[in-house]
Coordinates of all heavy atoms in Angstrom, one line a residue:
Chain R
R57 N 232.1 346.1 21.2 CA 233.1 347.2 20.9 C 233.1 348.2 22.0 O 233.9 349.2 22.0 CB 232.7 347.9 19.6 CG 233.2 347.1 18.4 CD 234.7 347.1 18.3 NE 235.1 346.3 17.1 CZ 236.0 346.6 16.2 NH1 236.5 347.8 16.3 NH2 236.4 345.8 15.3
S58 N 232.3 348.1 23.1 CA 232.5 348.9 24.3 C 233.8 348.4 24.8 O 234.2 347.3 24.8 CB 231.4 348.6 25.3 OG 230.1 349.1 24.8
Y59 N 234.5 349.3 25.4 CA 235.9 349.0 25.9 C 236.0 348.3 27.2 O 236.9 347.5 27.4 CB 236.7 350.3 25.9 CG 237.1 350.9 24.6 CD1 236.2 351.6 23.8 CD2 238.4 350.6 24.1 CE1 236.6 352.1 22.6 CE2 238.8 351.1 22.9 CZ 237.9 351.8 22.1 OH 238.2 352.3 20.9
G60 N 235.1 348.6 28.1 CA 235.2 348.0 29.4 C 234.3 346.9 29.7 O 234.3 345.9 29.0
D61 N 233.5 347.1 30.8 CA 232.6 346.0 31.2 C 231.1 346.3 31.0 O 230.3 345.5 31.6 CB 232.9 345.6 32.7 CG 232.8 346.9 33.6 OD1 232.6 348.0 33.1 OD2 233.1 346.7 34.8
S62 N 230.8 347.3 30.3 CA 229.3 347.6 30.0 C 228.7 346.5 29.1 O 227.5 346.4 29.0 CB 229.1 349.0 29.5 OG 229.7 349.1 28.2
C63 N 229.6 345.8 28.4 CA 229.1 344.7 27.5 C 229.4 343.3 28.1 O 229.5 342.3 27.3 CB 229.5 344.9 26.1 SG 231.3 344.8 25.9
L64 N 229.7 343.3 29.4 CA 230.1 342.0 30.0 C 229.1 341.7 31.2 O 228.5 342.6 31.7 CB 231.5 342.1 30.5 CG 232.6 342.3 29.5 CD1 234.0 342.4 30.2 CD2 232.7 341.3 28.4
L65 N 229.0 340.4 31.5 CA 228.2 340.0 32.7 C 228.9 338.8 33.3 O 228.7 337.7 32.8 CB 226.8 339.8 32.3 CG 225.9 339.4 33.4 CD1 225.9 340.4 34.6 CD2 224.4 339.2 32.9
K66 N 229.6 339.1 34.4 CA 230.3 338.0 35.0 C 229.4 336.9 35.5 O 228.4 337.2 36.2 CB 231.1 338.6 36.2 CG 232.0 337.6 36.9 CD 232.8 338.4 38.0 CE 233.9 337.6 38.5 NZ 233.5 336.8 39.7
D67 N 229.7 335.7 35.1 CA 228.9 334.5 35.5 C 227.4 334.6 35.1 O 226.6 333.9 35.7 CB 229.0 334.2 37.0 CG 230.5 334.0 37.4 OD1 231.2 333.4 36.6 OD2 230.8 334.5 38.5
G68 N 227.2 335.4 34.1 CA 225.8 335.6 33.6 C 225.6 335.1 32.2 O 226.4 334.3 31.7
N69 N 224.6 335.5 31.6 CA 224.2 335.1 30.2 C 224.3 336.2 29.2 O 223.6 337.2 29.3 CB 222.8 334.5 30.2 CG 222.7 333.3 31.1 OD1 222.9 332.2 30.6 ND2 222.3 333.5 32.3
L70 N 225.3 336.1 28.3 CA 225.4 337.1 27.3 C 224.6 336.7 26.0 O 224.8 335.6 25.6 CB 226.8 337.4 26.9 CG 227.7 338.0 28.0 CD1 229.2 338.1 27.5 CD2 227.2 339.4 28.4
L71 N 223.7 337.5 25.6 CA 222.8 337.2 24.5 C 223.4 338.0 23.3 O 223.1 339.2 23.2 CB 221.4 337.5 24.7 CG 220.9 337.0 26.1 CD1 219.4 337.4 26.4 CD2 220.9 335.4 26.1
V72 N 224.1 337.3 22.4 CA 224.8 338.0 21.3 C 223.8 338.2 20.1 O 223.2 337.2 19.6 CB 226.0 337.2 20.8 CG1 226.7 337.9 19.7 CG2 227.0 337.0 22.0
T73 N 223.6 339.4 19.7 CA 222.5 339.7 18.8 C 222.9 339.8 17.3 O 222.1 340.1 16.5 CB 221.8 341.1 19.2 OG1 222.8 342.1 19.1 CG2 221.2 341.0 20.5
T74 N 224.2 339.6 17.1 CA 224.7 339.9 15.7 C 224.1 339.0 14.6 O 224.2 339.4 13.4 CB 226.3 339.8 15.6 OG1 226.7 338.6 16.3 CG2 226.9 341.0 16.3
G75 N 223.5 337.9 15.0 CA 222.9 337.1 14.0 C 221.5 337.7 13.5 O 220.9 337.3 12.5
M76 N 221.0 338.6 14.4 CA 219.8 339.3 14.0 C 220.1 340.5 13.2 O 220.2 341.6 13.7 CB 219.1 339.8 15.3 CG 218.3 338.7 16.1 SD 217.7 339.4 17.6 CE 217.5 341.2 17.2
N77 N 220.4 340.3 11.9 CA 220.9 341.4 11.1 C 220.1 341.6 9.8 O 220.7 341.8 8.8 CB 222.4 341.2 10.9 CG 222.7 339.9 10.1 OD1 221.8 339.3 9.7 ND2 223.9 339.6 10.0
R78 N 218.8 341.5 9.9 CA 218.0 341.6 8.7 C 217.4 343.0 8.6 O 217.0 343.6 9.6 CB 216.9 340.5 8.8 CG 217.4 339.1 8.6 CD 216.4 338.0 8.9 NE 217.2 336.8 9.2 CZ 217.7 336.5 10.4 NH1 217.3 337.2 11.4 NH2 218.4 335.5 10.5
L79 N 217.3 343.4 7.3 CA 216.6 344.6 7.1 C 215.1 344.3 7.1 O 214.6 343.2 6.8 CB 216.9 345.1 5.6 CG 218.3 345.7 5.5 CD1 218.7 345.8 4.1 CD2 218.3 347.1 6.2
I80 N 214.3 345.3 7.5 CA 212.9 345.2 7.6 C 212.2 346.1 6.5 O 211.3 345.7 5.8 CB 212.3 345.4 9.0 CG1 212.9 344.3 9.9 CG2 210.8 345.4 9.0 CD1 212.7 344.6 11.4
S81 N 212.7 347.3 6.4 CA 212.2 348.2 5.3 C 213.2 349.3 5.1 O 214.0 349.6 5.9 CB 210.8 348.7 5.7 OG 210.9 349.6 6.8
F82 N 213.1 349.9 3.9 CA 213.8 351.1 3.6 C 213.0 352.0 2.7 O 212.4 351.5 1.7 CB 215.1 350.8 2.9 CG 215.9 352.0 2.6 CD1 216.4 352.8 3.6 CD2 216.1 352.4 1.2 CE1 217.1 354.0 3.2 CE2 216.8 353.5 0.9 CZ 217.3 354.3 1.9
D83 N 212.8 353.3 3.1 CA 212.1 354.2 2.3 C 213.0 355.2 1.7 O 213.5 356.1 2.4 CB 211.0 354.9 3.3 CG 210.2 355.9 2.5 OD1 210.5 356.3 1.4 OD2 209.2 356.3 3.1
P84 N 213.2 355.1 0.4 CA 214.2 356.0 -0.2 C 213.7 357.5 -0.3 O 214.5 358.4 -0.6 CB 214.4 355.5 -1.6 CG 213.2 354.6 -1.9 CD 212.7 354.2 -0.6
E85 N 212.5 357.8 0.1 CA 212.0 359.2 0.1 C 212.4 359.8 1.4 O 212.9 361.0 1.4 CB 210.5 359.2 -0.1 CG 210.1 358.6 -1.4 CD 209.0 359.4 -2.1 OE1 208.2 360.1 -1.4 OE2 208.9 359.3 -3.3
T86 N 212.2 359.1 2.5 CA 212.5 359.7 3.8 C 213.9 359.3 4.3 O 214.5 360.0 5.2 CB 211.5 359.2 4.9 OG1 211.6 357.8 4.9 CG2 210.1 359.6 4.5
G87 N 214.5 358.2 3.8 CA 215.7 357.7 4.3 C 215.5 356.8 5.5 O 216.5 356.4 6.1
D88 N 214.3 356.5 5.9 CA 214.0 355.7 7.1 C 214.4 354.3 6.8 O 213.8 353.6 5.9 CB 212.6 355.8 7.5 CG 212.3 357.1 8.2 OD1 213.2 357.9 8.4 OD2 211.1 357.3 8.6
L89 N 215.3 353.8 7.6 CA 215.8 352.4 7.4 C 215.4 351.6 8.7 O 215.8 352.1 9.8 CB 217.3 352.3 7.2 CG 218.0 351.0 7.0 CD1 219.1 351.1 6.0 CD2 218.5 350.4 8.3
T90 N 214.7 350.6 8.6 CA 214.3 349.8 9.7 C 215.0 348.4 9.6 O 215.0 347.7 8.6 CB 212.8 349.6 9.8 OG1 212.2 350.8 9.8 CG2 212.4 348.8 11.0
A91 N 215.7 348.0 10.7 CA 216.4 346.8 10.7 C 216.4 346.2 12.1 O 216.2 346.8 13.1 CB 217.9 347.1 10.3
E92 N 216.7 344.9 12.1 CA 216.9 344.2 13.4 C 218.1 344.8 14.1 O 219.1 345.3 13.4 CB 217.1 342.7 13.1 CG 215.8 342.0 12.6 CD 216.0 340.5 12.3 OE1 217.2 340.1 12.1 OE2 215.1 339.8 12.3
A93 N 218.1 344.7 15.4 CA 219.0 345.5 16.2 C 220.5 345.0 16.1 O 221.4 345.7 16.5 CB 218.6 345.5 17.7
G94 N 220.7 343.7 15.6 CA 222.0 343.2 15.5 C 222.7 343.5 14.3 O 223.9 343.2 14.1
M95 N 222.1 344.3 13.4 CA 222.7 344.7 12.1 C 223.8 345.7 12.5 O 223.6 346.6 13.3 CB 221.7 345.3 11.2 CG 222.2 345.5 9.8 SD 220.8 345.9 8.7 CE 221.6 345.6 7.1
T96 N 225.0 345.6 11.9 CA 226.1 346.5 12.2 C 226.0 347.8 11.3 O 225.3 347.7 10.2 CB 227.5 345.9 12.0 OG1 227.6 345.6 10.6 CG2 227.6 344.6 12.8
L97 N 226.6 348.8 11.7 CA 226.7 350.0 10.9 C 227.4 349.8 9.6 O 227.1 350.3 8.6 CB 227.3 351.2 11.7 CG 226.6 351.6 13.0 CD1 227.2 352.9 13.5 CD2 225.1 351.7 12.9
A98 N 228.4 348.8 9.6 CA 229.1 348.5 8.4 C 228.1 347.8 7.4 O 228.1 348.2 6.2 CB 230.2 347.5 8.7
Q99 N 227.2 347.0 7.9 CA 226.2 346.3 7.0 C 225.2 347.3 6.5 O 224.8 347.3 5.4 CB 225.5 345.2 7.8 CG 226.4 344.0 8.1 CD 225.9 343.1 9.1 OE1 225.1 343.4 10.0 NE2 226.4 341.8 9.1
I100 N 224.8 348.3 7.4 CA 223.9 349.4 7.0 C 224.5 350.2 5.9 O 223.9 350.5 4.9 CB 223.5 350.2 8.2 CG1 222.6 349.4 9.1 CG2 222.8 351.5 7.7 CD1 222.2 350.1 10.4
L101 N 225.8 350.5 6.0 CA 226.5 351.3 5.0 C 226.6 350.6 3.7 O 226.3 351.2 2.6 CB 227.9 351.7 5.5 CG 228.0 352.8 6.5 CD1 229.4 352.8 7.1 CD2 227.6 354.1 6.0
D102 N 226.9 349.3 3.7 CA 227.0 348.5 2.5 C 225.6 348.5 1.7 O 225.6 348.5 0.5 CB 227.3 347.0 2.8 CG 228.8 346.9 3.1 OD1 229.6 347.8 2.9 OD2 229.2 345.8 3.5

Side-chain angles (χ1 to χ4, degrees):
Chain R
R57 284 289 178 132
S58 295
Y59 283 80
D61 52 0
S62 64
C63 61
L64 301 178
L65 181 54
K66 186 171 190 274
D67 301 324
N69 296 273
L70 293 176
L71 310 175
V72 181
T73 59
T74 46
M76 280 176 26
N77 59 9
R78 292 170 199 89
L79 286 165
I80 295 167
S81 67
F82 178 66
D83 180 345
E85 300 220 334
T86 60
D88 282 359
L89 179 146
T90 303
E92 292 177 337
M95 193 166 193
T96 65
L97 301 190
Q99 290 164 339
I100 290 177
L101 286 167
D102 283 351

